Amino acid sequence: MDSAVPTLTVLGELVVDLLPVPGADAGPEGTAPQYVARPGGNALNVAVAAGRLGAPVALLARLGSGPLASALRRHAELSGVDTRGFVTATEPVSLAVVGLGPDGSPDYGFHVQGAADWQWTDEELAAALPQTTALLHVGSISSWTPPGSEAIARLAERLAGTALVSVDPNLRPMLAGGPVGAALGNDPAGVRTRLDRLVAVADLVKVSAEDLAWLEPDTADLDGAARRWAGRGPALVLLTDGGAPLRIARPGRPLLHREPPRVPVADTVGAGDSLAAGLFAGLLAAGVTTRAALETLPDDDLLALVDDAALVAALNCTRVGADPPTAADLAAAKQQRA
C-alpha cells in the first residue's frame, strides 16, 4: 500500500460464520443441517468489500488461535486488504452459527466468550494504526464489549478532528444483554453508554432500524430518529431499513430518502457492511477525507455515492453469505441499469 495514499482503516472483530448449506436437509434422525464455514464479522466484511472495490484499506484485528485463523487472514489478503495491523492472539477465534429466515435475514448463535476480539489494548492499537489513516471505521461487537471497547473508544477520541470517524452499532442483542451478554461483561445500559461515547465523536454513523429498535425501543418515527441522530454530532447519518428506503440525515439540511435497488435475494448477510464499504470507497475516491469536505459535499454528489453504496449492498445480497462485489461487478451492474 502506498504510504502517501489516504487509507480506510477498519477496526473490529474477525468471526467465522457457519452458514447452512442450501437444500441440505436435517437427515433422517433430525440431526443438525450441514454448514459451510465462511469468514465474517463486521470489520472483516467491511474491509473485504472496500478492498474489492479498489479502496486502500487496512484491517486492525486480533487474529485468534485455531485452525480457522489462517483462512480469515487469507480472505482479507485476497481482496487487497492490508493485514499488517493483525495482532497474533492466543485466545480463540469467534464463531457464529447462522440461521436464515424465509426472507434471507440472518439469525445468529454466538460462541465468543473469551475470544481474541475483545482484548484490545492501547499499546496494540497504537502500534497497529496506519499513519495514513484518513477514515477510521469502528463498530459491532468489539466496539461495545469490554475490556477492549475502552481502548477502541480512546482511539476514536484521539483521532476525532484529524481523521473521519465512522461508527456502526451493528448490535447483536443476545451479546448485548441477557445471560450471554452478562458473561461478556455487557448489559443494555452499559452498551448504550459505550455507543453514546463513540457517536459523540463520530463524523459518520450508519445505524439500522433494527438496531434503533433495540437502542431506543419507544422510537416509532424513523424520519425523526434520523434527524435527531444527526443532531448528536455526526455530519452524516445513514439509517437503513432492510429493503425500505434509506434515510440520509445531515445537520441543518432536509432529510433525504433513497430507494435501494431491487434484486433477487439469496440472503442479506453482510448487506449493511457492504453498504458502508461502498460509501467509504466512494468518499475516498472523491477526496472527501476531512470533516469540512464531508459537511460541504453537495447533496447531489452525496446521493450519487449513496446510490453506488446501495448497489454494492444489493449485489452482495444476490450471493450466499457476505460476498461483496468487485469494482468491475459494480461497473457492470451500473451499466446494465443505465
Side-chain angles (χ1 to χ4, degrees):
M1 184 179 295
D2 191 326
S3 60
V5 174
T7 302
L8 164 65
T9 297
V10 183
L11 167 57
E13 63 267 14
L14 301 171
V15 181
V16 173
D17 289 337
L18 293 183
L19 287 153
V21 175
D25 61 28
E29 298 178 0
T31 55
Q34 297 177 31
Y35 287 90
V36 60
R38 291 181 178 270
N42 170 260
L44 181 60
N45 291 344
V46 170
V48 164
R52 290 185 182 180
L53 293 172
V57 55
L59 177 58
L60 309 190
R62 301 187 88 254
L63 183 62
S65 60
L68 296 172
S70 60
L72 291 166
R73 182 190 291 275
R74 183 68 174 152
H75 181 62
E77 291 174 341
L78 285 172
S79 295
V81 177
D82 184 347
T83 60
R84 288 176 293 178
F86 277 26
V87 173
T88 301
T90 58
E91 302 90 357
V93 169
S94 294
L95 184 67
V97 182
V98 184
L100 298 175
D103 61 350
S105 60
D107 179 32
Y108 295 92
F110 290 97
H111 302 266
V112 296
Q113 190 170 351
D117 306 281
W118 332 129
Q119 318 303 327
W120 280 108
T121 66
D122 294 307
E123 293 74 20
E124 287 174 339
L125 288 174
L129 183 74
Q131 295 292 320
T132 53
T133 299
L135 196 166
L136 173 72
H137 174 69
V138 302
S140 198
I141 310 162
S142 58
S143 70
W144 39 261
T145 295
S149 56
E150 286 296 306
I152 291 172
R154 285 190 289 267
L155 177 65
E157 289 166 346
R158 180 165 66 83
L159 288 185
T162 61
L164 291 173
V165 175
S166 167
V167 174
D168 180 358
N170 201 39
L171 286 159
R172 298 291 179 255
M174 71 177 298
L175 302 184
V180 179
L184 288 173
N186 285 328
D187 61 80
V191 169
R192 291 185 179 101
T193 297
R194 293 175 200 125
L195 284 171
D196 285 346
R197 182 178 176 183
L198 290 172
V199 171
V201 297
D203 301 291
L204 302 92
V205 171
K206 185 189 79 65
V207 61
S208 68
E210 185 178 12
D211 286 349
L212 192 67
W214 189 91
L215 290 165
E216 302 177 0
D218 296 329
T219 298
D221 177 13
L222 293 182
D223 283 0
R227 293 191 191 95
R228 181 161 34 79
W229 275 58
R232 294 173 60 182
L236 173 64
V237 172
L238 285 184
L239 198 164
T240 64
D241 188 17
L246 286 162
R247 291 167 173 84
I248 306 158
R250 307 171 82 183
R253 300 199 186 196
L255 182 71
L256 303 173
H257 296 82
R258 216 60 174 175
E259 191 77 30
R262 300 297 173 187
V263 294
V265 174
D267 64 53
T268 62
V269 177
D273 306 331
S274 298
L275 176 77
L279 178 62
F280 301 152
L283 289 172
L284 287 179
V288 180
T289 58
T290 66
R291 174 80 179 218
L294 182 60
E295 289 176 336
T296 57
L297 186 67
D299 282 351
D300 286 347
D301 293 348
L302 175 60
L303 288 175
L305 296 179
V306 170
D307 285 345
D308 281 356
L311 183 54
V312 171
L315 293 173
N316 175 83
C317 290
T318 65
R319 306 165 177 182
V320 174
D323 186 9
T326 64
D329 294 333
L330 177 62
K334 289 175 67 174
Q335 185 175 19
Q336 187 176 16
R337 291 171 177 270

